[in-house]
Amino acid sequence: MTASSKTIADPARSPVLGVGISAINLASATDLVFQALEERRKGYVCVTGVHGVIEAQDSAEFRNLLNNSFLTTPDGMPMVWLGKWNGFAHMGRVYGPDLMLEVCERSAHTGHSHYFYGGAEGVAADLRARLEERFPGLRVLGASTPPFRPLTTEERNGLREEIARLRPDCFWVGLSTPKQEKFIAEFLPELDTTLMFGVGAAFDFHSGRVRQAPRWIQRSGFEWLFRVFTDPKRLWKRYFVNNTRFVWCIGRQLILDGGKTRARNRRISNGAKPPASDG
């Protein structure tokens, strides 16, 4: 089946500052992923929270990349809260590390294969070892760490040849936003794989390199603060500057919108057909 043969119904999207966040939850996202794998529908999955949405405000190219994905998941709780405000009551957080675990666990039974690409030196190999131990039967065909620079022609050809030989169903990328999303959008047409996922910190969490926030903090919407305290030098600017800007921009959007998007999306989620000019 070609990439253009769409038998999967694309989920509706909740608008957040020009970015369409897929109106899904972890269970429905996992189901959609495996439907795409069964149909060999090529595409890419972005896991997007405040950081990605703010990056998209300054780059039309990146915004279009998020909006043209197979799925752009609600990676952070603010995306979920706004989705529910917009009328998508079923939306739930589809956190990159959780999605990776769900897909790996199910694929250990279905036989779908994986390739891990990203992280610092040794992280992808550690990730492979830990997930193979956690999910007996998991098929990980390869794991590699790219250089912290654009690939040379030789490296690009080498990656293309390796993936053509291995043909993994899922290609997981952990390079941080927006680098990983740009990578997967660029390389998807070149690589013999079905779905590419940009999951960032999932590599560090599941390899055991970085401590993950407790579940209650994740659900509270304050995971960003936990991460700042664990890595302040690298993350303070991203979270404090981006979060402040996000609150300002989303407040302005909600005031100007006047509830129109919320009412429209509630109609769509109840089965009404969106107008031709929607979006």
Side-chain angles (χ1 to χ4, degrees):
M1 180 167 293
T2 65
S4 61
S5 300
K6 295 186 179 181
T7 61
I8 302 172
D10 294 329
R13 297 208 178 200
S14 171
V16 181
L17 301 179
V19 176
I21 304 296
S22 301
I24 53 178
N25 52 48
L26 185 58
S28 62
T30 306
D31 287 343
L32 287 165
V33 164
F34 279 90
Q35 288 178 44
L37 292 175
E38 288 298 322
E39 297 180 6
R40 298 290 296 175
R41 172 182 171 178
K42 284 181 74 75
Y44 59 88
V45 177
C46 304
V47 294
T48 303
V50 169
H51 181 204
V53 169
I54 290 300
E55 289 284 342
Q57 303 311 295
D58 300 321
S59 171
E61 176 188 4
F62 183 57
R63 184 167 61 251
N64 289 336
L65 188 158
L66 295 177
N67 288 334
N68 289 321
S69 67
F70 168 52
L71 296 173
T72 292
T73 79
D75 182 60
M77 288 306 298
M79 303 300 108
V80 176
W81 296 331
L82 288 167
K84 292 181 181 296
W85 170 262
N86 284 330
F88 299 107
H90 63 284
M91 277 184 72
R93 189 181 189 194
V94 185
Y95 184 40
D98 290 346
L99 180 62
M100 173 179 265
L101 292 182
E102 288 291 319
V103 173
C104 286
E105 181 176 20
R106 189 183 296 190
S107 68
H109 303 286
T110 63
H112 291 98
S113 58
H114 305 267
Y115 189 98
F116 300 138
Y117 183 86
E121 188 64 37
V123 167
D126 288 347
L127 175 66
R128 175 180 186 172
R130 282 181 170 247
L131 291 181
E132 286 178 334
E133 180 180 7
R134 182 168 182 171
F135 303 116
L138 182 68
R139 296 177 59 217
V140 182
L141 306 182
S144 61
T145 299
F148 286 94
R149 54 167 172 75
L151 299 183
T152 65
T153 300
E154 182 179 359
E155 290 166 342
R156 191 182 191 109
N157 291 338
L159 178 62
R160 186 187 301 115
E161 291 167 5
E162 181 182 18
I163 301 307
R165 175 174 56 85
L166 297 175
R167 300 186 66 197
D169 297 299
C170 301
F171 189 104
W172 300 88
V173 182
L175 298 177
S176 80
T177 296
K179 184 178 180 181
Q180 64 189 9
E181 288 83 6
K182 293 179 179 179
F183 177 90
I184 60 180
E186 178 183 358
F187 276 83
L188 180 65
E190 299 185 20
L191 300 181
D192 194 354
T193 188
T194 301
L195 290 180
M196 296 183 75
F197 302 77
V199 291
F203 276 52
D204 290 327
F205 293 150
H206 296 324
S207 67
R209 297 293 183 95
V210 175
R211 182 187 173 197
Q212 199 168 359
R215 282 292 178 185
W216 69 270
I217 293 180
Q218 294 180 32
R219 289 191 292 267
S220 73
F222 284 97
E223 183 181 8
W224 64 271
L225 191 57
F226 178 90
R227 294 194 64 194
V228 168
F229 280 119
T230 58
D231 191 359
K233 185 176 180 180
R234 185 173 68 91
L235 296 176
W236 77 267
K237 184 176 180 180
R238 175 200 295 185
Y239 286 115
F240 282 108
V241 174
N242 284 0
N243 287 11
T244 300
R245 185 179 176 191
F246 178 81
V247 170
W248 169 259
C249 291
I250 205 67
R252 184 172 182 270
Q253 174 181 285
L254 292 175
I255 291 170
L256 293 177
D257 181 76
K260 290 182 289 185
T261 297
R262 183 184 188 187
R264 179 199 60 191
N265 289 337
R266 183 176 288 110
R267 292 195 300 272
I268 294 171
S269 66
N270 288 334
K273 184 177 180 180
S277 60
D278 184 63

